[in-house]
DNA sequence: CTGAAAGCGCTAACAA
DNA sequence: TTGTTAGCGCTTTCAG
């Protein structure tokens, strides 16, 4: 018991503790779970024996009977993005504080892997799953229709599909950034949008951009919009396409793409911000160390994770209908943008 | 049974399946586990019922009896570093392929949180834990001495403490990078080292640097070494300290610090690489989009994770003594370095 | 090949 | 306050 007998390791069970302490297993269970009163005399005795024997409760057995594994599942499409790390961190922090642990799977944004993950989560009887989604297909719909575990989506608003969601206000992010550029006097504002499959940070930021232009009475030019995939390389390529059309400012749906864009522009001999203003989204650490420093939109990714975790655990307690929570953002102005005169 | 009765959800068990299929639960178990032969007639029947009822096996119950939760625990100090994401991804990939899932905890590099995590992992009866360590204290030693679950360390060589480890060859990374700069003719090579607590990427890369200088017959100057903490800000600050001593090249223990260093140097009016060569380590995506593009050391972080996962699961099968595996690296030469003449 | 039955380690009535 | 006991859902002998 907690001793290597040959190669086999036999671990101490509640029974061993009970026997050694001269009490019933129920009593031991009670001091562990603090669920029912136990005389302080026995409690002391039991605690001592637990320490002596190095007893560690078997959470698996407990889970079987309580029908809760005190863990929450997280499905992410990518881990390489530092944003994933930040909100995941938020989930973990909240989970840990509540005595839950996190089971992590990576989907590469593929529906079949996501479904597989949902299945694993169900097998492991997690108490809730947080799903960093890419899109919502018919397959998702039919599968999730009778999924017995609370699910919250993160990053995409799936409330219309009945899935509670926690998001950044991507439409507003695009709108706010573009309005800011307009206010500085820019009229030819280009946009480097993200992959449309990632409907929210891709599509909604673009929509926000369009709305701002519309409100300003500016007709959108198709040639001033390019679509990347959130990599720096794609930002570089998009800038290459955009530059010939003479934008005075460019708004990229992510800092990574903004960085690629700045890179291309510099190479092309364009001075930033004198000849071209640039804005990104995400507020990566690097923004302050670029030359010029990059203006961007900042939000609290950790908060997104924390909120999602709180929500999914609450759903486990009480039934409430789907809602969509959002985490605020704000502009961070640095040196990559400038005001321009009336004419261009 | 997989049906919402009021608010309570009762899930289908193996018993329900057995009853509906008109067989014993043992038979159902056998078709699930493929452990013993079952007549194809019954098997078909059972499979059909499983589908009809939407039965999902309870992995918790299975774990209790098999004494294996088919999951592996991962303890990381930080998630914000993109490197964490990469090797974690490697772990997840391998785990998934082997039918395991990943339980993740974040320690912030604090010993007490690490110990807590190890405890949680034990309670959950994971089959192995992968520990991205920061340092090995006495507390770790006494705690791990009779820890009943296989542990492998990642990023630090704890083989001397009896813990199998998977690492990058940090000494060699520092050595190779420095030798390369020496070969280009540099004699005043500065180093921005990392936090010494993170003994390996901090200390060992510095050691490698020193060794290369020694071998080249160059006396190390204390003023040419500054210590950062792997953030860009710290790289910036270190460069500020280093510059007055007139290095012709600087080797930073991470790309992030190299970026901060480049930033300061540019601001100070130093042209890179004409007046100062810069090298980093990590080969972040950004390296190719800096101006100039950053020379660095590349390694396969995913491979580190995969190797660690493979190792820890193997330990679960067979007892083998502690070993230290390493993942190779290579120099990536870009525009931030240049050859210099005989005199400086 | 199949079924009955004995647990895995623990919690939660139910008695005492 | 404490102990006895019946399972949680599943795997696995052990007999058929």
């Amino acid at each position: 018991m907690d001793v290597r007998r040959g190669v086999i390791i036999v671990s101490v069970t509640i029974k061993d503790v009970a026997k050694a302490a001269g009490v019933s297993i129920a009593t031991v269970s009670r001091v562990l779970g603090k669920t029912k009163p136990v005389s302080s005399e026995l409690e002391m005795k039991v605690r001592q024996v637990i320490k002596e024997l190095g007893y560690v409760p078997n959470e698996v057995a407990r889970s079987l009977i309580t029908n809760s594994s005190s863990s929450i599942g997280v499905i992410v499409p990518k881990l390489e993005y530092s944003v994933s790390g930040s909100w995941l961190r938020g989930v973990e922090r909240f989970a840990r504080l509540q005595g839950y642990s996190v089971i992590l799977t990576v989907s590469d944004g593929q529906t079949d892997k996501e479904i597989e993950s949902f299945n694993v989560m169900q097998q492991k009887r997690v108490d809730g799953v947080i799903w960093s989604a890419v899109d919502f297909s018919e397959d998702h719909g039919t599968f999730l229709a009778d999924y017995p575990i609370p699910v919250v989506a993160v990053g995409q608003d799936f409330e219309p599909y009945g899935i509670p969601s926690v998001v950044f206000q991507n439409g507003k992010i695009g709108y706010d950034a573009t309005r800011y550029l307009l206010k500085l006097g820019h009229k030819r504002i280009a946009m480097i949008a993200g992959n449309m499959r990632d409907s929210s940070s891709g599509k909604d930021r673009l929509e926000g951009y369009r709305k701002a232009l519309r409100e300003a009475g500016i007709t959108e030019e198709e040639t001033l919009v390019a679509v990347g995939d959130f990599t720096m390389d794609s930002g570089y390529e998009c800038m290459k396409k955009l530059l010939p059309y003479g934008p005075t400012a460019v708004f990229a749906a992510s800092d990574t793409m903004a960085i690629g864009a700045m890179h291309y522009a510099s190479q092309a001999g364009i001075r930033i911000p004198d000849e071209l203003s640039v804005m990104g989204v995400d507020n990566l650490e690097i923004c302050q160390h670029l030359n010029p420093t990059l203006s961007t939109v900042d939000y609290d990714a950790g908060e997104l994770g924390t909120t999602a975790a709180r929500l999914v655990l609450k759903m486990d307690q009480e039934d409430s209908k789907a809602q969509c929570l959002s985490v605020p953002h704000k502009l961070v102005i640095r040196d990559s943008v400038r005001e321009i005169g009336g004419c261009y």
Side-chain angles (χ1 to χ4, degrees), chain A residues 8-325:
Chain A
I8 310 297
I9 300 172
V10 182
S11 63
V12 188
T13 75
I14 198 173
K15 240 176 181 166
D16 302 317
V17 176
K19 197 183 298 171
V23 300
S24 73
I25 61 169
T27 301
V28 178
S29 174
R30 290 195 265 256
V31 346
L32 257 63
K34 300 169 188 178
T35 165
K36 290 256 174 143
V38 175
S39 71
S40 58
E41 188 187 10
L42 283 192
E43 173 165 357
M44 215 134 71
K45 179 68 186 156
V46 169
R47 289 202 185 284
Q48 186 190 332
V49 171
I50 285 178
K51 194 163 293 176
E52 278 170 7
L53 264 46
Y55 168 68
V56 176
N58 187 330
E59 176 69 30
V60 175
R62 170 183 271 150
S63 296
L64 182 58
I65 182 158
T66 61
N67 204 30
S68 143
S69 61
S70 58
S71 58
I72 89 181
V74 176
I75 304 176
V76 297
K78 287 264 172 213
L79 276 174
E80 286 77 7
Y81 303 152
S82 66
V83 187
S84 313
S86 303
W87 73 258
L88 192 51
R89 174 71 178 109
V91 172
E92 199 271 347
R93 191 193 307 270
F94 188 83
R96 172 189 290 250
L97 254 40
Q98 304 293 316
Y100 287 76
S101 47
V102 167
I103 297 185
L104 176 71
T105 65
V106 181
S107 69
D108 293 318
Q110 294 164 17
T111 302
D112 56 333
K113 284 197 190 167
E114 287 179 323
I115 303 273
E116 189 200 323
S117 291
F118 275 114
N119 271 321
V120 171
M121 299 303 181
Q122 185 177 355
Q123 284 166 214
K124 301 256 190 223
R125 297 300 193 263
V126 301
D127 299 300
V129 1
I130 295 178
W131 174 32
S132 174
V134 172
D135 61 358
F136 195 94
S137 70
E138 205 171 317
D139 286 349
H140 290 110
T142 54
F143 179 83
L144 291 176
D146 39 40
Y147 192 67
I149 298 171
V151 173
V152 347
V154 136
Q156 311 277 0
D157 181 6
F158 289 162
E159 189 197 327
Y161 304 107
I163 315 252
S165 309
V166 185
V167 300
F168 301 123
Q169 300 175 44
N170 285 309
K172 195 156 179 307
I173 285 176
Y175 179 79
D176 290 350
T178 309
R179 283 223 45 179
Y180 173 72
L181 291 170
L182 286 165
K183 214 176 294 177
L184 291 182
H186 292 278
K187 299 219 164 48
R188 295 191 64 73
I189 303 175
M191 165 135 196
I192 300 177
N195 198 326
M196 296 301 143
R197 264 198 73 214
D198 179 353
S199 47
S200 192
S201 20
K203 213 174 61 180
D204 296 347
R205 287 174 193 174
L206 176 60
E207 280 311 322
Y209 157 86
R210 287 184 165 140
K211 182 177 168 211
L213 289 190
R214 244 190 342 265
E215 285 185 10
I218 293 179
T219 323
E220 187 197 330
E221 299 179 31
E222 273 209 28
T223 50
L224 283 183
V225 173
V227 178
D229 61 4
F230 296 104
T231 62
M232 296 183 191
D233 285 345
S234 75
Y236 183 95
E237 293 301 327
C238 286
M239 195 70 242
K240 189 186 291 185
K241 287 184 205 148
L242 259 19
L243 213 47
Y245 299 99
T248 64
V250 57
F251 166 53
S254 75
D255 285 342
T256 47
M257 293 194 291
I259 288 168
M262 282 174 72
H263 182 203
Y264 180 79
S266 311
Q267 276 191 344
I270 306 288
R271 280 167 303 138
I272 299 172
D274 309 271
E275 299 172 78
L276 182 71
S277 290
V278 180
M279 280 207 71
V281 180
D282 285 341
N283 198 16
L284 301 183
E285 182 191 10
I286 182 83
C287 290
Q288 308 184 56
H289 291 276
L290 291 168
N291 183 21
T293 56
L294 179 62
S295 297
T296 188
V297 182
D298 182 58
Y299 48 73
D300 188 339
E303 179 67 22
L304 189 80
T306 306
T307 305
R310 183 183 298 115
L311 182 56
V312 83
L313 289 183
K314 205 179 73 183
M315 289 166 66
D316 210 31
Q317 318 269 286
E318 47 184 273
D319 252 349
S320 54
K321 65 177 187 193
Q323 53 184 321
C324 180
L325 306 177

